[in-house]
Amino acid sequence: MIRHFDPFVLPFIVGFTFLLTALAVLYSRWFIQLEAGSHPKILSAFFSLKTLNAIKEVFLECLIHRKIFKINPMLGYMHMSLAFGWFLLILFGKLETFIYTGRFANAIYYPIFFRFFELNPHQSALLNFFNISMDLLLLFVLSGVCLAIIKRFKSRVTGLKQTTKHTAGDRWALSTLWLIFPLRLLSESLTAAFSGNGSIITQPLGDFLGSFLPAQQLAYISWWGYSVCLGGFMAALPFSRYMHIPTEIFLIFLRNWGIFTNKKYSGVSNFELHACSRCGICIDVCPVNNESGRRTTQMVYFLRDLREKKLKHSITENCMMCGRCEQVCPVAIPLTTQRQIQRDKSMQKPFSDFSYLERISYNANEPKTEVLYFAGCMSHLTPGIRQSMIKILEASGIKYSFLDEKGPICCGRPLKLSGKTEEAQILSEKNRTLIMASGAHTLVTSCPICYKSFKEDYHLNIKILHHTEFIDQLLVKKQIAIQRSDEKIAYHDPCELGRGSAIYNQPRQIIRRVGQLVKHPDERENARCCGGSLANLSVTTSERNEIQQSVSSYLSSQPCDIIATACPMCKKSIGRFAEKPVKDIAELVASGLDESFMNEKAIKNQKYNELIFE
Amino acid sequence: MTEQKHIVIIGGGPAGLQAASGLKDSGHQITIIEKESTIGGKLNSWHKLFPEFQTANDISVYLINSINNSNTEVLKQTIVTKITRENNHFKISTAQNHSLKADAILLATGFELFRAEKKEEYGYGIYKNIITSADLESSFRQNGLKDLLLGKTHPRIGFIHCVGSRDKKCGNTYCSKVCCVTGVKQAIEIKQLIPHSQVFNFYMDLRMYGQNFEELYIEAQQDYSINFIRGRVSEIAENIDGTLQIKAEDTLSGRPLKMNFDLVILLAGMENRQDYDNIMDNNIKLSRSNGFIVPINRHVRPNETTIPGIFIAGTCREPLSIQETIADAKSAASTITEWINKQSN
Amino acid sequence: MDNNDFSLSVALAAIEPSFAWCIGCGSCTATCSAAQFTEFNPRKINLLIQRGEVAAIKQELKKCMLCGKCQLICPRDVNTRKIIQNLKRIMQ
């Protein structure tokens, strides 16, 4: 039996039912489309700590928005007040009605329109407490709504230089969302005017309004408005950014259970795409945006286009794949992976002819070596790095061989980043054969791009090191020694080495032995992208120059004597415009090699051929 | 008769010296401020000048003598620290605690050579046997080529044109004009010193713009068998024995080539990287283009800057040969005289 | 050259106009990774586009490894890599 009913609740019911149905259909479809092996994974993880972890993460990220707080407190407060505030309103509302009616199972709309149906419910201290709480929570949410409105016009208030451009669906949902809470306030206040069931905010406001307005009639209209906006919002939700509200919860659970997009687009990818709230934090950090003021290529727009099936190739390929966006995404969507998948998809059949590589082979007369050094294509254009590495290898006494001394066969990663995976595989197969033929048990490279390629795509069973890892090991094991100077050195983390391979410490450890390490704001995971990335196939030369110039002047303005980096591409990009000398870590080490230490060692170990590596 | 004014010339190289010489009979007081311990500027580091191999030293001696018996004051080892404009004259302060009142200033600060380390692909400063044209010229002057080649009897020597010029990646899009003819001249000089050497010049275009320059080119091909390869060198690598491997494309035959050399000379371009803003007052701002100072009108007022009373001569305003520098300084001297006369009337 | 087909260069100019800035210095070919093993010549490809002689290009484009050295070395900031990448897409 329906105890309380009024026609005005119908819009809400319609909207709500529509939303539930839509979500049920979409989620079950995506769930079914999960990759093979996912379902057993979920079953086994369901009753484990992972689920508890997921619940914790849902609380911290979906309600409190801890990640967003770290980026900007105002922005974090805005998101939190809306999400957490609304959640608490629902929760407290449910408790309020339970206490009042003694039943859990009331009509779904009853707690929402409680003060319409119950004109005098607050007859105990406990219920009074709830009355006050509901008012305060409403104020909490309204403060968020105010901030959200201000943010639309003055985004700098929340620390964002640009806000997201909205789709039509977004605008419908946004408008209804923004009206919901003011209308609730209005409805409850007007009702309080003639019933007295308001509290700390609604009562005084109601009394004030009631003094010159026909409260009872207006209240009814307001409740209709409230219901229509609620229903309208829920109906618009699946077509808007607010799809993220339910979706990100599911995403967090899936991720904690070990299910996420890796190499192929699957059911979980749909969850990821729709978990994007279009918060816009990825816009400001994008290097392609900051200088040219572009607002069509950032991840938020890429995901939007992908969702609406309007994705153009020119957008997909206009990305440095630097990972800065992924670093700040509050919902931790694997953004670069998604972009790469789309690049792979949009590539046509292989259009290459690398048969000329077939006649290249490792010189069979060369003795087997211990360490193989691969400079990489770019390092040949920065001979400072190459010569320094040779000097260091010679000083270490290790038996080494320089694979691409005469000239490189490209590692293949630029092809792969363009989506041409099959063609890249031809190159990597060739290089792989040469590497294995050398007999080396360690491969050292100067280029982080090649490094990532070797580690991820080559399936080599030998040790792979970037030269910073290698040099660090040499220093720790005292196979070489450096003389320290007083120079102040600021380090720029290359995207492929830092965010791409999680190597942050070794370069810094080396720098501290060479001179004084100078810290600066945009480093480690927050490091800027030098703009030289080969992954961006669309950017024009002048746009690239702007990016390079901006990073160069940022680094030049740090209180340092030298700018250090660990990637030939970064060295070229930054060195072109920087006002201070730009040196690779290998160059700093080579020029600071302690000669006396070398001579001592040479005397001690005449035939120093052994490798002291684990 | 106009009253005596004070003209300060900043820079005691060929432009400054010639300008002083041109002004010595004007009746005005002339002061040359030179930061080095000798005057003569870059002429002091050059051996022979194109196109007829005149001795640079003869020219600097001529220029210095021309101001010797005049009342030109020369302040050596003096560095200008501040220039301010007060009413209708300028005040110049130096690091050596001079305070000069000038009615007109001539900037003859000259050029700096493009720092070839910036073109990292060529390995200047990294490999041993790579030098610039300026290094080579010094070597000629001091007879030191033997040191460079360590007694090789049939060395192979390469010249690379357009280093730091016509190169967006190095930040200089302009052509430095005089390097091509310098390359041909130095190639001939090397062949004269070491007849059994093999000399190769790698160029993009050969800008033989002046009188007898093309003839010099013909002479290089005809009498000295110098090889000219049209192709810009992309990178240089060092072999174990210290020789250098150049990678270029021989564009005229359409094939990439790799060649080993005993010595490589980089024809670095001219730049003007002087920080005038640091020295000059806020209300005195020079107009610059590619670092060079821009005159009011390149055609009819090439020695006047946008600041009345400040004039320019020589390579601080664009890449010029010695001939052109001297002519430019003469033009500047007569411009200054005209201007002063007009001020007085 | 009266009958040469310039449609490809017109199409390319809309995507990457920098190919017109080439002075034919040859440093792209000099540094090219593929050119040291085979007859691939990026400068020549650029030239043929400008001349409208496109028939010979198609097979040549297959040899590019997309390594990017050409774009890094070019003194005129011609984005040779992007040009070859787009030519491959257009002509495939």
Side-chain angles (χ1 to χ4, degrees):
Chain A
M1 183 176 93
I2 302 169
R3 204 163 295 207
H4 302 98
F5 181 78
D6 188 283
F8 86 87
V9 309
L10 283 172
F12 166 73
I13 294 179
V14 168
F16 185 67
T17 315
F18 172 74
L19 175 62
L20 279 188
T21 319
L23 289 180
V25 167
L26 283 170
Y27 287 176
S28 36
R29 195 193 311 158
W30 297 346
F31 200 73
I32 293 169
Q33 285 169 354
L34 286 176
E35 263 186 321
S38 305
H39 304 99
K41 227 193 219 177
I42 298 176
L43 278 174
S44 63
F46 202 80
F47 292 107
S48 70
L49 267 171
K50 294 186 185 153
T51 309
L52 288 173
N53 211 29
I55 295 173
K56 180 178 112 180
E57 194 177 330
V58 168
F59 180 74
L60 284 175
E61 296 307 331
C62 301
L63 294 176
I64 309 289
H65 291 96
R66 184 180 54 169
K67 257 183 148 178
I68 301 189
F69 259 106
K70 280 204 211 139
I71 291 166
N72 180 286
M74 265 309 217
L75 192 63
Y77 175 77
M78 186 199 91
H79 284 275
M80 180 185 83
S81 57
L82 283 163
F84 196 36
W86 199 357
F87 170 75
L88 288 176
L89 269 177
I90 296 171
L91 181 67
F92 272 52
K94 203 66 189 145
L95 286 172
E96 189 180 29
T97 53
F98 170 63
I99 293 172
Y100 182 69
T101 63
R103 285 187 318 272
F104 254 129
N106 292 303
I108 191 77
Y109 54 80
Y110 182 62
I112 301 171
F113 305 122
F114 186 59
R115 293 197 193 169
F116 175 83
F117 292 114
E118 306 300 342
L119 293 176
N120 196 8
H122 300 111
Q123 282 146 2
S124 68
L126 184 60
L127 284 168
N128 252 327
F129 163 75
F130 273 98
N131 206 8
I132 298 171
S133 307
M134 291 301 274
D135 264 30
L136 288 175
L137 285 172
L138 184 56
L139 185 66
F140 183 41
V141 180
L142 281 170
S143 68
V145 177
C146 276
L147 257 181
I149 297 174
I150 295 172
K151 174 170 160 275
R152 265 292 118 188
F153 301 107
K154 267 205 127 207
S155 57
R156 289 223 176 238
V157 168
T158 51
L160 289 177
K161 278 193 233 140
Q162 292 190 37
T163 49
T164 328
K165 277 189 299 188
H166 279 156
T167 63
D170 286 344
R171 264 170 260 160
W172 271 112
L174 188 76
S175 320
T176 48
L177 177 64
W178 281 357
L179 285 171
I180 288 173
F181 298 99
L183 280 171
R184 181 183 171 123
L185 179 67
L186 192 64
S187 312
E188 291 189 339
S189 303
L190 287 169
T191 303
F194 65 84
S195 70
N197 70 356
S199 182
I200 189 168
I201 294 162
T202 44
Q203 195 59 58
L205 180 59
D207 291 336
F208 168 70
L209 290 170
S211 67
F212 60 90
L213 291 170
Q216 201 148 0
Q217 294 87 318
L218 283 178
Y220 191 55
I221 296 171
S222 188
W223 284 109
W224 263 98
Y226 180 36
S227 174
V228 164
C229 282
L230 260 178
F233 174 70
M234 294 192 175
L237 191 141
F239 304 104
S240 73
R241 58 193 283 208
Y242 299 102
M243 188 58 175
H244 80 94
I245 300 174
T247 314
E248 66 189 26
I249 300 174
F250 280 83
L251 181 64
I252 288 176
F253 276 95
L254 284 171
R255 197 188 318 125
N256 275 281
W257 291 331
I259 299 165
F260 46 83
T261 306
N262 199 4
K263 300 231 160 139
K264 286 224 146 65
Y265 193 91
S266 62
V268 65
S269 313
N270 285 313
F271 282 101
E272 287 166 359
L273 252 49
H274 288 82
C276 169
S277 65
R278 307 210 179 126
C279 66
I281 296 174
C282 59
I283 301 179
D284 273 354
V285 297
C286 177
V288 182
N289 158 76
N290 281 328
E291 304 317 313
S292 33
R294 188 192 287 279
R295 289 174 69 181
T296 47
T297 57
Q298 287 80 27
M299 283 300 180
V300 59
Y301 301 118
F302 162 75
L303 290 175
R304 173 200 66 191
D305 290 349
L306 185 53
R307 269 159 79 161
E308 296 178 4
K309 308 223 193 303
K310 285 194 222 158
L311 186 61
K312 284 208 278 256
H313 193 68
S314 57
I315 300 287
T316 314
E317 65 179 20
N318 198 341
C319 167
M320 297 280 171
M321 302 288 260
C322 70
R324 289 195 100 204
C325 48
E326 216 165 317
Q327 199 59 44
V328 295
C329 177
V331 210
I333 302 174
L335 296 165
T336 35
T337 313
Q338 287 290 351
R339 207 131 191 175
Q340 182 65 54
I341 291 176
Q342 292 308 313
R343 287 181 179 200
D344 295 339
K345 261 189 177 177
S346 62
M347 267 304 134
Q348 302 134 312
K349 296 192 309 298
F351 184 63
S352 68
D353 174 18
F354 297 130
S355 53
Y356 57 83
L357 294 175
E358 282 157 22
R359 51 189 173 76
I360 303 165
S361 59
Y362 199 81
N363 188 351
N365 297 326
E366 281 265 331
K368 299 289 180 207
T369 187
E370 309 269 344
V371 167
L372 194 61
Y373 174 56
F374 184 83
C377 293
M378 298 300 156
S379 305
H380 284 272
L381 294 177
T382 50
I385 299 180
R386 194 186 59 210
Q387 296 306 104
S388 302
M389 279 310 293
I390 292 176
K391 191 170 172 197
I392 293 170
L393 282 162
E394 290 288 324
S396 72
I398 293 171
K399 194 153 149 228
Y400 76 95
S401 182
F402 188 167
L403 181 60
D404 56 340
E405 186 168 18
K406 300 265 162 53
I409 300 175
C410 181
C411 66
R413 189 160 165 81
L415 275 170
K416 174 163 177 241
L417 286 169
S418 317
K420 299 182 175 10
T421 320
E422 283 181 52
E423 298 176 28
Q425 268 168 357
I426 302 175
L427 296 181
S428 49
E429 255 317 298
K430 185 73 209 174
N431 274 324
R432 194 168 178 281
T433 320
L434 295 173
I435 293 170
M436 299 317 289
S438 74
H441 53 65
T442 304
L443 173 63
V444 176
T445 179
S446 286
C447 175
I449 301 170
C450 303
Y451 174 73
K452 228 169 127 72
S453 193
F454 292 142
K455 280 220 120 155
E456 288 177 10
D457 305 318
Y458 273 55
H459 311 295
L460 291 163
N461 51 7
I462 62 173
K463 220 173 165 150
I464 302 167
L465 298 172
H466 180 257
H467 75 223
T468 48
E469 294 178 288
F470 177 68
I471 294 173
D472 189 51
Q473 286 184 18
L474 288 179
L475 285 166
V476 162
K477 294 189 204 297
K478 297 203 183 5
Q479 284 176 278
I480 56 172
I482 337 183
Q483 280 167 321
R484 204 169 180 277
S485 79
D486 282 327
E487 284 183 311
K488 298 203 197 71
I489 303 167
Y491 176 64
H492 162 81
D493 293 271
C495 295
E496 297 273 74
L497 193 65
R499 279 183 296 268
S501 311
I503 295 178
Y504 299 107
N505 294 323
Q506 288 94 327
R508 290 177 163 82
Q509 279 153 211
I510 299 173
I511 290 177
R512 283 195 204 98
R513 293 176 191 260
V514 172
Q516 247 184 300
L517 178 66
V518 167
K519 291 198 182 178
H520 55 96
D522 290 349
E523 58 174 2
R524 289 185 168 255
E525 298 90 354
N526 298 321
R528 299 202 182 186
C529 173
C530 75
S533 169
L534 288 172
N536 194 323
L537 302 156
S538 284
V539 66
T540 64
T541 314
S542 57
E543 284 168 351
R544 228 191 246 282
N545 288 348
E546 280 181 63
I547 300 171
Q548 291 169 333
Q549 222 149 8
S550 138
V551 180
S552 301
S553 54
Y554 162 75
L555 288 166
S556 299
S557 66
Q558 300 308 318
C560 63
D561 303 307
I562 299 178
I563 299 168
T565 184
C567 169
M569 182 61 101
C570 291
K571 184 181 179 193
K572 271 242 169 282
S573 298
I574 300 170
R576 188 169 164 181
F577 296 104
E579 289 147 33
K580 294 189 178 158
V582 179
K583 298 263 171 215
D584 187 280
I585 302 245
E587 295 178 280
L588 292 173
V589 171
S591 59
L593 276 178
D594 188 342
E595 297 300 334
S596 57
F597 178 86
M598 297 300 116
N599 293 332
E600 270 178 52
K601 218 171 71 134
I603 294 168
K604 260 201 249 169
N605 310 293
Q606 292 290 352
K607 288 187 245 170
Y608 197 75
N609 251 342
E610 262 176 60
L611 203 60
I612 320 175
F613 275 39
E614 293 131 296
Chain B
M1 178 70 180
T2 53
E3 61 174 88
Q4 193 196 50
K5 301 282 182 181
H6 187 200
I7 303 167
V8 173
I9 299 174
I10 304 180
L17 291 173
Q18 176 59 55
S21 171
L23 286 165
K24 69 176 187 260
D25 293 329
S26 64
H28 301 299
Q29 190 200 340
I30 319 283
T31 304
I32 296 179
I33 301 180
E34 167 56 51
K35 68 174 190 245
E36 303 292 342
S37 54
T38 51
I39 46 175
K42 299 284 194 307
L43 271 174
N44 293 337
S45 14
W46 291 333
H47 185 49
K48 297 279 173 76
L49 305 173
F50 51 75
E52 275 127 17
F53 297 96
Q54 301 92 325
T55 311
N57 200 49
D58 290 346
I59 311 282
S60 53
V61 163
Y62 176 90
L63 289 172
I64 293 172
N65 281 344
S66 68
I67 59 160
N68 241 351
N69 295 324
S70 65
N71 57 351
T72 307
E73 182 191 12
V74 180
L75 298 171
K76 296 183 193 163
Q77 282 184 298
T78 306
I79 296 178
V80 174
T81 47
K82 199 105 190 96
I83 301 178
T84 51
R85 178 156 59 179
E86 281 162 30
N87 302 322
N88 58 350
H89 62 266
F90 298 96
K91 189 162 137 230
I92 302 174
S93 319
T94 71
Q96 285 67 24
N97 291 323
H98 299 94
S99 184
L100 305 160
K101 173 179 174 281
D103 297 288
I105 297 178
L106 174 64
L107 293 172
T109 49
F111 71 92
E112 288 154 47
L113 207 65
F114 168 75
R115 281 163 296 172
E117 311 85 78
K118 284 199 84 182
K119 182 75 184 149
E120 195 182 345
E121 291 90 340
Y122 293 165
Y124 182 72
I126 300 172
Y127 306 140
K128 214 169 61 131
N129 293 315
I130 305 213
I131 59 175
T132 62
S133 45
D135 297 332
L136 184 65
E137 196 72 28
S138 285
S139 184
F140 282 153
R141 190 157 166 140
Q142 289 150 37
N143 248 322
L145 238 197
K146 279 132 188 119
D147 278 348
L148 291 169
L149 289 165
L150 290 168
K152 295 205 175 132
T153 47
H154 291 70
R156 190 189 282 158
I157 296 160
F159 283 86
I160 302 184
H161 291 234
C162 290
V163 178
S165 307
R166 304 179 68 196
D167 188 345
K168 281 196 171 174
K169 302 291 199 290
C170 289
N172 296 334
T173 27
Y174 58 90
C175 167
S176 191
K177 197 159 117 181
V178 295
C179 338
C180 272
V181 60
T182 304
V184 174
K185 173 195 80 97
Q186 289 184 331
I188 292 177
E189 284 174 292
I190 286 193
K191 281 294 258 193
Q192 286 170 339
L193 270 176
I194 312 171
H196 292 299
S197 60
Q198 267 189 306
V199 178
F200 287 79
N201 282 51
F202 292 88
Y203 67 94
M204 293 203 279
D205 295 290
L206 272 180
R207 300 195 162 177
M208 301 283 112
Y209 69 93
Q211 273 297 298
N212 292 334
F213 288 11
E214 184 70 12
E215 285 82 339
L216 195 67
Y217 176 25
I218 294 173
E219 194 184 329
Q221 292 177 298
Q222 190 175 282
D223 300 337
Y224 295 95
S225 308
I226 293 167
N227 303 287
F228 288 89
I229 299 186
R230 190 192 174 277
R232 181 173 177 266
V233 172
S234 65
E235 63 223 70
I236 303 181
E238 192 178 46
N239 302 315
I240 295 182
D241 58 359
T243 57
L244 302 155
Q245 188 189 70
I246 278 184
K247 279 173 93 165
E249 191 206 353
D250 182 359
T251 57
L252 293 173
S253 62
R255 284 194 308 254
L257 63 81
K258 279 188 200 179
M259 243 179 128
N260 287 317
F261 287 82
D262 296 297
L263 179 67
V264 171
I265 296 135
L266 305 178
L267 292 160
M270 293 183 174
E271 287 185 329
N272 183 354
R273 295 183 143 254
Q274 280 285 355
D275 190 358
Y276 300 105
D277 287 341
N278 213 11
I279 298 171
M280 290 175 154
D281 239 5
N282 279 339
N283 59 353
I284 319 175
K285 223 167 160 59
L286 291 168
S287 179
R288 312 274 292 268
S289 167
N290 292 324
F292 296 102
I293 306 173
V294 180
I296 283 184
N297 186 310
R298 287 191 196 277
H299 292 278
V300 295
R301 298 170 74 183
N303 300 106
E304 297 168 65
T305 64
T306 46
I307 303 159
I310 299 190
F311 301 85
I312 40 176
T315 49
C316 66
R317 73 173 188 86
E318 67 179 68
L320 295 168
S321 66
I322 295 284
Q323 293 175 19
E324 292 158 342
T325 301
I326 294 174
D328 195 46
K330 291 191 183 197
S331 155
S334 76
T335 307
I336 294 174
T337 315
E338 250 184 78
W339 183 80
I340 288 182
N341 288 343
K342 243 192 242 167
Q343 298 294 103
S344 309
N345 298 343
Chain C
M1 261 178 77
D2 281 339
N3 299 323
N4 284 358
D5 175 19
F6 295 95
S7 58
L8 187 58
S9 54
V10 168
L12 191 58
I15 306 171
E16 181 51 41
S18 68
F19 76 96
W21 310 339
C22 174
I23 50 173
C25 74
S27 32
C28 51
T29 306
T31 197
C32 174
S33 300
Q36 56 192 327
F37 305 120
T38 181
E39 270 199 34
F40 181 63
N41 190 323
R43 176 195 57 85
K44 214 183 221 176
I45 290 177
N46 202 340
L47 180 72
L48 291 173
I49 303 285
Q50 292 183 296
R51 300 286 182 270
E53 288 170 28
V54 300
I57 297 176
K58 190 164 173 183
Q59 292 311 311
E60 285 303 299
L61 293 173
K62 291 181 175 180
K63 298 177 181 171
C64 173
M65 297 196 235
L66 277 193
C67 73
K69 288 178 83 184
C70 50
Q71 171 234 327
L72 256 191
I73 200 83
C74 180
R76 278 288 182 98
D77 270 352
V78 175
N79 197 338
T80 313
R81 179 178 187 255
K82 189 173 171 191
I83 290 167
I84 303 228
Q85 156 92 348
N86 279 292
L87 284 173
K88 279 176 143 192
R89 195 183 312 147
I90 296 173
M91 299 188 93
Q92 187 162 355

